PDB file of all heavy atoms in Angstrom:
ATOM      1  N   PHE A 564     -69.127 -99.288  92.677  1.00  0.00           N
ATOM      2  CA  PHE A 564     -67.954-100.130  93.103  1.00  0.00           C
ATOM      3  C   PHE A 564     -67.836-101.229  92.145  1.00  0.00           C
ATOM      4  O   PHE A 564     -66.711-101.726  91.749  1.00  0.00           O
ATOM      5  CB  PHE A 564     -68.228-100.578  94.561  1.00  0.00           C
ATOM      6  CG  PHE A 564     -67.758 -99.666  95.579  1.00  0.00           C
ATOM      7  CD1 PHE A 564     -68.674 -98.835  96.364  1.00  0.00           C
ATOM      8  CD2 PHE A 564     -66.464 -99.580  95.963  1.00  0.00           C
ATOM      9  CE1 PHE A 564     -68.275 -98.069  97.325  1.00  0.00           C
ATOM     10  CE2 PHE A 564     -65.975 -98.705  96.943  1.00  0.00           C
ATOM     11  CZ  PHE A 564     -66.931 -97.981  97.629  1.00  0.00           C
ATOM     12  N   ASN A 565     -68.951-101.906  91.776  1.00  0.00           N
ATOM     13  CA  ASN A 565     -68.890-103.045  90.996  1.00  0.00           C
ATOM     14  C   ASN A 565     -68.326-102.774  89.612  1.00  0.00           C
ATOM     15  O   ASN A 565     -67.425-103.602  89.144  1.00  0.00           O
ATOM     16  CB  ASN A 565     -70.279-103.760  90.795  1.00  0.00           C
ATOM     17  CG  ASN A 565     -70.215-105.053  90.145  1.00  0.00           C
ATOM     18  OD1 ASN A 565     -69.923-106.088  90.779  1.00  0.00           O
ATOM     19  ND2 ASN A 565     -70.498-105.015  88.882  1.00  0.00           N
ATOM     20  N   ASN A 566     -68.678-101.717  88.953  1.00  0.00           N
ATOM     21  CA  ASN A 566     -68.226-101.296  87.696  1.00  0.00           C
ATOM     22  C   ASN A 566     -66.669-101.021  87.749  1.00  0.00           C
ATOM     23  O   ASN A 566     -65.912-101.494  86.921  1.00  0.00           O
ATOM     24  CB  ASN A 566     -68.989-100.176  87.056  1.00  0.00           C
ATOM     25  CG  ASN A 566     -70.322-100.674  86.690  1.00  0.00           C
ATOM     26  OD1 ASN A 566     -70.819-101.747  86.825  1.00  0.00           O
ATOM     27  ND2 ASN A 566     -71.122 -99.591  86.158  1.00  0.00           N
ATOM     28  N   LEU A 567     -66.296-100.262  88.706  1.00  0.00           N
ATOM     29  CA  LEU A 567     -64.836 -99.909  88.792  1.00  0.00           C
ATOM     30  C   LEU A 567     -64.020-101.055  89.167  1.00  0.00           C
ATOM     31  O   LEU A 567     -62.853-101.238  88.611  1.00  0.00           O
ATOM     32  CB  LEU A 567     -64.616 -98.787  89.826  1.00  0.00           C
ATOM     33  CG  LEU A 567     -65.390 -97.483  89.568  1.00  0.00           C
ATOM     34  CD1 LEU A 567     -65.098 -96.415  90.743  1.00  0.00           C
ATOM     35  CD2 LEU A 567     -64.793 -96.803  88.254  1.00  0.00           C
ATOM     36  N   LEU A 568     -64.456-101.938  90.084  1.00  0.00           N
ATOM     37  CA  LEU A 568     -63.577-103.086  90.477  1.00  0.00           C
ATOM     38  C   LEU A 568     -63.576-104.139  89.315  1.00  0.00           C
ATOM     39  O   LEU A 568     -62.404-104.822  89.037  1.00  0.00           O
ATOM     40  CB  LEU A 568     -64.082-103.743  91.765  1.00  0.00           C
ATOM     41  CG  LEU A 568     -63.788-103.029  93.091  1.00  0.00           C
ATOM     42  CD1 LEU A 568     -64.603-103.481  94.248  1.00  0.00           C
ATOM     43  CD2 LEU A 568     -62.311-103.158  93.294  1.00  0.00           C
ATOM     44  N   THR A 569     -64.649-104.360  88.639  1.00  0.00           N
ATOM     45  CA  THR A 569     -64.683-105.301  87.449  1.00  0.00           C
ATOM     46  C   THR A 569     -63.743-104.836  86.489  1.00  0.00           C
ATOM     47  O   THR A 569     -62.996-105.594  85.836  1.00  0.00           O
ATOM     48  CB  THR A 569     -66.191-105.406  86.999  1.00  0.00           C
ATOM     49  OG1 THR A 569     -67.030-105.903  88.003  1.00  0.00           O
ATOM     50  CG2 THR A 569     -66.192-106.311  85.749  1.00  0.00           C
ATOM     51  N   ASN A 570     -63.734-103.479  86.180  1.00  0.00           N
ATOM     52  CA  ASN A 570     -62.816-102.897  85.250  1.00  0.00           C
ATOM     53  C   ASN A 570     -61.422-103.102  85.693  1.00  0.00           C
ATOM     54  O   ASN A 570     -60.588-103.534  84.793  1.00  0.00           O
ATOM     55  CB  ASN A 570     -63.134-101.378  85.151  1.00  0.00           C
ATOM     56  CG  ASN A 570     -62.921-100.947  83.713  1.00  0.00           C
ATOM     57  OD1 ASN A 570     -63.514-101.340  82.797  1.00  0.00           O
ATOM     58  ND2 ASN A 570     -62.080 -99.893  83.662  1.00  0.00           N
ATOM     59  N   ALA A 571     -61.127-102.993  86.912  1.00  0.00           N
ATOM     60  CA  ALA A 571     -59.720-103.149  87.338  1.00  0.00           C
ATOM     61  C   ALA A 571     -59.301-104.608  87.184  1.00  0.00           C
ATOM     62  O   ALA A 571     -58.146-104.844  86.883  1.00  0.00           O
ATOM     63  CB  ALA A 571     -59.669-102.757  88.845  1.00  0.00           C
ATOM     64  N   ILE A 572     -60.188-105.570  87.528  1.00  0.00           N
ATOM     65  CA  ILE A 572     -59.883-106.904  87.425  1.00  0.00           C
ATOM     66  C   ILE A 572     -59.642-107.324  85.942  1.00  0.00           C
ATOM     67  O   ILE A 572     -58.669-108.044  85.609  1.00  0.00           O
ATOM     68  CB  ILE A 572     -61.058-107.887  87.959  1.00  0.00           C
ATOM     69  CG1 ILE A 572     -61.136-107.719  89.445  1.00  0.00           C
ATOM     70  CG2 ILE A 572     -60.843-109.289  87.633  1.00  0.00           C
ATOM     71  CD1 ILE A 572     -62.413-108.191  90.049  1.00  0.00           C
ATOM     72  N   ARG A 573     -60.510-106.754  85.086  1.00  0.00           N
ATOM     73  CA  ARG A 573     -60.421-107.158  83.607  1.00  0.00           C
ATOM     74  C   ARG A 573     -59.096-106.649  83.075  1.00  0.00           C
ATOM     75  O   ARG A 573     -58.403-107.231  82.214  1.00  0.00           O
ATOM     76  CB  ARG A 573     -61.604-106.491  82.849  1.00  0.00           C
ATOM     77  CG  ARG A 573     -61.606-106.734  81.371  1.00  0.00           C
ATOM     78  CD  ARG A 573     -62.845-106.079  80.765  1.00  0.00           C
ATOM     79  NE  ARG A 573     -64.005-106.661  81.195  1.00  0.00           N
ATOM     80  CZ  ARG A 573     -65.049-106.008  81.695  1.00  0.00           C
ATOM     81  NH1 ARG A 573     -64.957-104.699  81.715  1.00  0.00           N
ATOM     82  NH2 ARG A 573     -66.098-106.541  82.195  1.00  0.00           N
ATOM     83  N   TYR A 574     -58.632-105.352  83.516  1.00  0.00           N
ATOM     84  CA  TYR A 574     -57.339-104.851  82.802  1.00  0.00           C
ATOM     85  C   TYR A 574     -56.200-105.035  83.566  1.00  0.00           C
ATOM     86  O   TYR A 574     -55.144-104.269  83.340  1.00  0.00           O
ATOM     87  CB  TYR A 574     -57.743-103.390  82.362  1.00  0.00           C
ATOM     88  CG  TYR A 574     -58.690-103.227  81.275  1.00  0.00           C
ATOM     89  CD1 TYR A 574     -59.998-102.795  81.497  1.00  0.00           C
ATOM     90  CD2 TYR A 574     -58.458-103.701  80.011  1.00  0.00           C
ATOM     91  CE1 TYR A 574     -61.035-102.702  80.556  1.00  0.00           C
ATOM     92  CE2 TYR A 574     -59.406-103.606  78.994  1.00  0.00           C
ATOM     93  CZ  TYR A 574     -60.618-103.122  79.304  1.00  0.00           C
ATOM     94  OH  TYR A 574     -61.539-102.982  78.346  1.00  0.00           O
ATOM     95  N   THR A 575     -56.086-105.907  84.626  1.00  0.00           N
ATOM     96  CA  THR A 575     -54.936-106.080  85.400  1.00  0.00           C
ATOM     97  C   THR A 575     -54.498-107.635  85.117  1.00  0.00           C
ATOM     98  O   THR A 575     -55.305-108.540  85.076  1.00  0.00           O
ATOM     99  CB  THR A 575     -55.256-105.997  86.882  1.00  0.00           C
ATOM    100  OG1 THR A 575     -55.688-104.642  87.055  1.00  0.00           O
ATOM    101  CG2 THR A 575     -54.015-106.234  87.726  1.00  0.00           C
ATOM    102  N   ASP A 576     -53.237-107.734  84.830  1.00  0.00           N
ATOM    103  CA  ASP A 576     -52.700-108.970  84.496  1.00  0.00           C
ATOM    104  C   ASP A 576     -52.796-109.849  85.747  1.00  0.00           C
ATOM    105  O   ASP A 576     -52.956-109.482  86.803  1.00  0.00           O
ATOM    106  CB  ASP A 576     -51.214-108.927  84.088  1.00  0.00           C
ATOM    107  CG  ASP A 576     -51.062-108.253  82.714  1.00  0.00           C
ATOM    108  OD1 ASP A 576     -51.912-108.478  81.942  1.00  0.00           O
ATOM    109  OD2 ASP A 576     -49.897-107.678  82.598  1.00  0.00           O
ATOM    110  N   PRO A 577     -52.744-111.249  85.400  1.00  0.00           N
ATOM    111  CA  PRO A 577     -52.812-112.322  86.529  1.00  0.00           C
ATOM    112  C   PRO A 577     -51.904-111.977  87.674  1.00  0.00           C
ATOM    113  O   PRO A 577     -50.744-111.493  87.443  1.00  0.00           O
ATOM    114  CB  PRO A 577     -52.554-113.622  85.706  1.00  0.00           C
ATOM    115  CG  PRO A 577     -53.091-113.429  84.378  1.00  0.00           C
ATOM    116  CD  PRO A 577     -52.672-111.962  84.149  1.00  0.00           C
ATOM    117  N   ARG A 578     -52.328-112.343  88.871  1.00  0.00           N
ATOM    118  CA  ARG A 578     -51.603-112.183  89.984  1.00  0.00           C
ATOM    119  C   ARG A 578     -51.410-110.673  90.345  1.00  0.00           C
ATOM    120  O   ARG A 578     -50.303-110.362  91.034  1.00  0.00           O
ATOM    121  CB  ARG A 578     -50.292-112.938  89.993  1.00  0.00           C
ATOM    122  CG  ARG A 578     -50.395-114.447  89.783  1.00  0.00           C
ATOM    123  CD  ARG A 578     -49.033-115.137  89.896  1.00  0.00           C
ATOM    124  NE  ARG A 578     -49.169-116.551  89.614  1.00  0.00           N
ATOM    125  CZ  ARG A 578     -49.226-117.198  88.471  1.00  0.00           C
ATOM    126  NH1 ARG A 578     -49.026-116.438  87.450  1.00  0.00           N
ATOM    127  NH2 ARG A 578     -49.328-118.587  88.434  1.00  0.00           N
ATOM    128  N   GLY A 579     -52.155-109.886  89.892  1.00  0.00           N
ATOM    129  CA  GLY A 579     -52.070-108.386  90.223  1.00  0.00           C
ATOM    130  C   GLY A 579     -52.764-108.083  91.613  1.00  0.00           C
ATOM    131  O   GLY A 579     -53.212-108.928  92.200  1.00  0.00           O
ATOM    132  N   HIS A 580     -52.597-106.778  91.931  1.00  0.00           N
ATOM    133  CA  HIS A 580     -53.157-106.361  93.256  1.00  0.00           C
ATOM    134  C   HIS A 580     -54.150-105.094  92.965  1.00  0.00           C
ATOM    135  O   HIS A 580     -53.615-104.232  92.211  1.00  0.00           O
ATOM    136  CB  HIS A 580     -51.996-106.020  94.146  1.00  0.00           C
ATOM    137  CG  HIS A 580     -52.636-105.504  95.508  1.00  0.00           C
ATOM    138  ND1 HIS A 580     -53.342-106.388  96.440  1.00  0.00           N
ATOM    139  CD2 HIS A 580     -52.500-104.196  96.055  1.00  0.00           C
ATOM    140  CE1 HIS A 580     -53.575-105.683  97.482  1.00  0.00           C
ATOM    141  NE2 HIS A 580     -53.187-104.441  97.299  1.00  0.00           N
ATOM    142  N   ILE A 581     -55.189-105.116  93.546  1.00  0.00           N
ATOM    143  CA  ILE A 581     -56.124-104.073  93.546  1.00  0.00           C
ATOM    144  C   ILE A 581     -56.410-103.571  95.033  1.00  0.00           C
ATOM    145  O   ILE A 581     -56.739-104.384  95.824  1.00  0.00           O
ATOM    146  CB  ILE A 581     -57.498-104.394  92.909  1.00  0.00           C
ATOM    147  CG1 ILE A 581     -57.151-104.915  91.424  1.00  0.00           C
ATOM    148  CG2 ILE A 581     -58.496-103.295  92.885  1.00  0.00           C
ATOM    149  CD1 ILE A 581     -58.341-105.805  90.868  1.00  0.00           C
ATOM    150  N   ALA A 582     -56.175-102.326  95.204  1.00  0.00           N
ATOM    151  CA  ALA A 582     -56.365-101.664  96.526  1.00  0.00           C
ATOM    152  C   ALA A 582     -57.500-100.630  96.555  1.00  0.00           C
ATOM    153  O   ALA A 582     -57.533 -99.751  95.715  1.00  0.00           O
ATOM    154  CB  ALA A 582     -55.124-100.981  96.937  1.00  0.00           C
ATOM    155  N   VAL A 583     -58.456-100.958  97.508  1.00  0.00           N
ATOM    156  CA  VAL A 583     -59.517 -99.942  97.686  1.00  0.00           C
ATOM    157  C   VAL A 583     -59.243 -99.205  98.947  1.00  0.00           C
ATOM    158  O   VAL A 583     -58.999 -99.864 100.028  1.00  0.00           O
ATOM    159  CB  VAL A 583     -60.952-100.796  97.810  1.00  0.00           C
ATOM    160  CG1 VAL A 583     -61.975 -99.699  97.937  1.00  0.00           C
ATOM    161  CG2 VAL A 583     -61.084-101.540  96.502  1.00  0.00           C
ATOM    162  N   GLU A 584     -59.349 -97.879  98.922  1.00  0.00           N
ATOM    163  CA  GLU A 584     -59.136 -97.069 100.103  1.00  0.00           C
ATOM    164  C   GLU A 584     -60.251 -96.108 100.322  1.00  0.00           C
ATOM    165  O   GLU A 584     -60.786 -95.466  99.358  1.00  0.00           O
ATOM    166  CB  GLU A 584     -57.753 -96.280 100.014  1.00  0.00           C
ATOM    167  CG  GLU A 584     -57.383 -95.521 101.189  1.00  0.00           C
ATOM    168  CD  GLU A 584     -56.031 -94.970 101.177  1.00  0.00           C
ATOM    169  OE1 GLU A 584     -55.331 -95.180 100.105  1.00  0.00           O
ATOM    170  OE2 GLU A 584     -55.624 -94.173 102.109  1.00  0.00           O
ATOM    171  N   ILE A 585     -60.747 -95.937 101.551  1.00  0.00           N
ATOM    172  CA  ILE A 585     -61.782 -95.078 101.806  1.00  0.00           C
ATOM    173  C   ILE A 585     -61.451 -94.156 102.982  1.00  0.00           C
ATOM    174  O   ILE A 585     -60.889 -94.498 103.959  1.00  0.00           O
ATOM    175  CB  ILE A 585     -63.062 -95.823 102.270  1.00  0.00           C
ATOM    176  CG1 ILE A 585     -63.429 -96.791 101.178  1.00  0.00           C
ATOM    177  CG2 ILE A 585     -64.284 -94.824 102.511  1.00  0.00           C
ATOM    178  CD1 ILE A 585     -64.627 -97.784 101.610  1.00  0.00           C
ATOM    179  N   GLU A 586     -61.604 -92.803 102.720  1.00  0.00           N
ATOM    180  CA  GLU A 586     -61.277 -91.979 103.837  1.00  0.00           C
ATOM    181  C   GLU A 586     -62.333 -90.723 103.917  1.00  0.00           C
ATOM    182  O   GLU A 586     -62.973 -90.439 102.933  1.00  0.00           O
ATOM    183  CB  GLU A 586     -59.880 -91.266 103.591  1.00  0.00           C
ATOM    184  CG  GLU A 586     -59.552 -90.665 102.333  1.00  0.00           C
ATOM    185  CD  GLU A 586     -58.112 -90.307 102.120  1.00  0.00           C
ATOM    186  OE1 GLU A 586     -57.496 -89.801 103.146  1.00  0.00           O
ATOM    187  OE2 GLU A 586     -57.554 -90.553 101.030  1.00  0.00           O
ATOM    188  N   ASP A 587     -62.346 -90.122 105.062  1.00  0.00           N
ATOM    189  CA  ASP A 587     -63.236 -89.070 105.468  1.00  0.00           C
ATOM    190  C   ASP A 587     -62.560 -87.780 105.080  1.00  0.00           C
ATOM    191  O   ASP A 587     -61.407 -87.536 105.576  1.00  0.00           O
ATOM    192  CB  ASP A 587     -63.582 -89.120 106.913  1.00  0.00           C
ATOM    193  CG  ASP A 587     -64.599 -88.146 107.360  1.00  0.00           C
ATOM    194  OD1 ASP A 587     -65.211 -87.529 106.431  1.00  0.00           O
ATOM    195  OD2 ASP A 587     -64.738 -87.732 108.557  1.00  0.00           O
ATOM    196  N   GLU A 588     -63.172 -86.952 104.367  1.00  0.00           N
ATOM    197  CA  GLU A 588     -62.695 -85.616 104.048  1.00  0.00           C
ATOM    198  C   GLU A 588     -63.765 -84.532 104.676  1.00  0.00           C
ATOM    199  O   GLU A 588     -64.685 -84.969 105.202  1.00  0.00           O
ATOM    200  CB  GLU A 588     -62.424 -85.384 102.501  1.00  0.00           C
ATOM    201  CG  GLU A 588     -61.293 -86.340 101.985  1.00  0.00           C
ATOM    202  CD  GLU A 588     -60.951 -86.012 100.609  1.00  0.00           C
ATOM    203  OE1 GLU A 588     -61.843 -85.404  99.923  1.00  0.00           O
ATOM    204  OE2 GLU A 588     -59.853 -86.337 100.214  1.00  0.00           O
ATOM    205  N   PHE A 589     -63.406 -83.373 104.373  1.00  0.00           N
ATOM    206  CA  PHE A 589     -64.179 -82.260 104.994  1.00  0.00           C
ATOM    207  C   PHE A 589     -65.712 -82.448 104.986  1.00  0.00           C
ATOM    208  O   PHE A 589     -66.293 -82.635 105.971  1.00  0.00           O
ATOM    209  CB  PHE A 589     -63.802 -80.871 104.419  1.00  0.00           C
ATOM    210  CG  PHE A 589     -64.588 -79.724 105.032  1.00  0.00           C
ATOM    211  CD1 PHE A 589     -64.624 -79.496 106.356  1.00  0.00           C
ATOM    212  CD2 PHE A 589     -65.196 -78.813 104.197  1.00  0.00           C
ATOM    213  CE1 PHE A 589     -65.346 -78.474 106.927  1.00  0.00           C
ATOM    214  CE2 PHE A 589     -65.851 -77.744 104.673  1.00  0.00           C
ATOM    215  CZ  PHE A 589     -65.929 -77.520 106.016  1.00  0.00           C
ATOM    216  N   GLN A 590     -66.388 -82.387 103.730  1.00  0.00           N
ATOM    217  CA  GLN A 590     -67.668 -82.520 103.617  1.00  0.00           C
ATOM    218  C   GLN A 590     -68.081 -83.718 102.859  1.00  0.00           C
ATOM    219  O   GLN A 590     -69.194 -83.846 102.302  1.00  0.00           O
ATOM    220  CB  GLN A 590     -68.326 -81.233 103.019  1.00  0.00           C
ATOM    221  CG  GLN A 590     -68.326 -80.041 104.001  1.00  0.00           C
ATOM    222  CD  GLN A 590     -68.918 -78.778 103.426  1.00  0.00           C
ATOM    223  OE1 GLN A 590     -68.987 -78.533 102.218  1.00  0.00           O
ATOM    224  NE2 GLN A 590     -69.623 -78.108 104.360  1.00  0.00           N
ATOM    225  N   GLN A 591     -67.204 -84.558 102.550  1.00  0.00           N
ATOM    226  CA  GLN A 591     -67.396 -85.710 101.767  1.00  0.00           C
ATOM    227  C   GLN A 591     -66.590 -86.973 102.069  1.00  0.00           C
ATOM    228  O   GLN A 591     -65.684 -86.668 102.953  1.00  0.00           O
ATOM    229  CB  GLN A 591     -66.933 -85.254 100.209  1.00  0.00           C
ATOM    230  CG  GLN A 591     -65.445 -84.977  99.987  1.00  0.00           C
ATOM    231  CD  GLN A 591     -65.236 -84.396  98.739  1.00  0.00           C
ATOM    232  OE1 GLN A 591     -65.991 -83.965  97.964  1.00  0.00           O
ATOM    233  NE2 GLN A 591     -63.951 -84.338  98.344  1.00  0.00           N
ATOM    234  N   VAL A 592     -66.893 -88.035 101.526  1.00  0.00           N
ATOM    235  CA  VAL A 592     -66.187 -89.277 101.702  1.00  0.00           C
ATOM    236  C   VAL A 592     -65.497 -89.531 100.305  1.00  0.00           C
ATOM    237  O   VAL A 592     -66.133 -89.499  99.304  1.00  0.00           O
ATOM    238  CB  VAL A 592     -67.041 -90.405 102.062  1.00  0.00           C
ATOM    239  CG1 VAL A 592     -66.250 -91.748 101.960  1.00  0.00           C
ATOM    240  CG2 VAL A 592     -67.632 -90.267 103.434  1.00  0.00           C
ATOM    241  N   ARG A 593     -64.193 -89.837 100.369  1.00  0.00           N
ATOM    242  CA  ARG A 593     -63.496 -90.043  99.089  1.00  0.00           C
ATOM    243  C   ARG A 593     -63.082 -91.576  99.035  1.00  0.00           C
ATOM    244  O   ARG A 593     -62.642 -92.160  99.978  1.00  0.00           O
ATOM    245  CB  ARG A 593     -62.230 -89.209  99.015  1.00  0.00           C
ATOM    246  CG  ARG A 593     -61.521 -89.316  97.590  1.00  0.00           C
ATOM    247  CD  ARG A 593     -60.332 -88.475  97.563  1.00  0.00           C
ATOM    248  NE  ARG A 593     -59.148 -89.108  98.109  1.00  0.00           N
ATOM    249  CZ  ARG A 593     -57.924 -88.666  97.901  1.00  0.00           C
ATOM    250  NH1 ARG A 593     -57.554 -87.640  97.048  1.00  0.00           N
ATOM    251  NH2 ARG A 593     -56.969 -89.371  98.522  1.00  0.00           N
TER     252      ARG A 593
END
C-alpha cells in the first residue's frame, strides 16, 4: 500500500485525487 500510494502521490499534480477501493471477490480480496 505504501509503495503504490507514494507512487500515486509523486506522479499526480497538486490538488489531485487518489481513490482506494477494496472489495470482496470469490476467493480473493481485490
Side-chain angles (χ1 to χ4, degrees):
F564 274 103
N565 188 82
N566 287 3
L567 294 179
L568 282 167
T569 300
N570 214 55
I572 293 169
R573 182 179 296 128
Y574 291 110
T575 300
D576 289 333
R578 300 183 181 88
H580 180 66
I581 299 164
V583 181
E584 185 174 356
I585 304 173
E586 56 186 318
D587 181 18
E588 294 186 340
F589 177 51
Q590 289 185 327
Q591 63 188 16
V592 172
R593 189 180 78 163

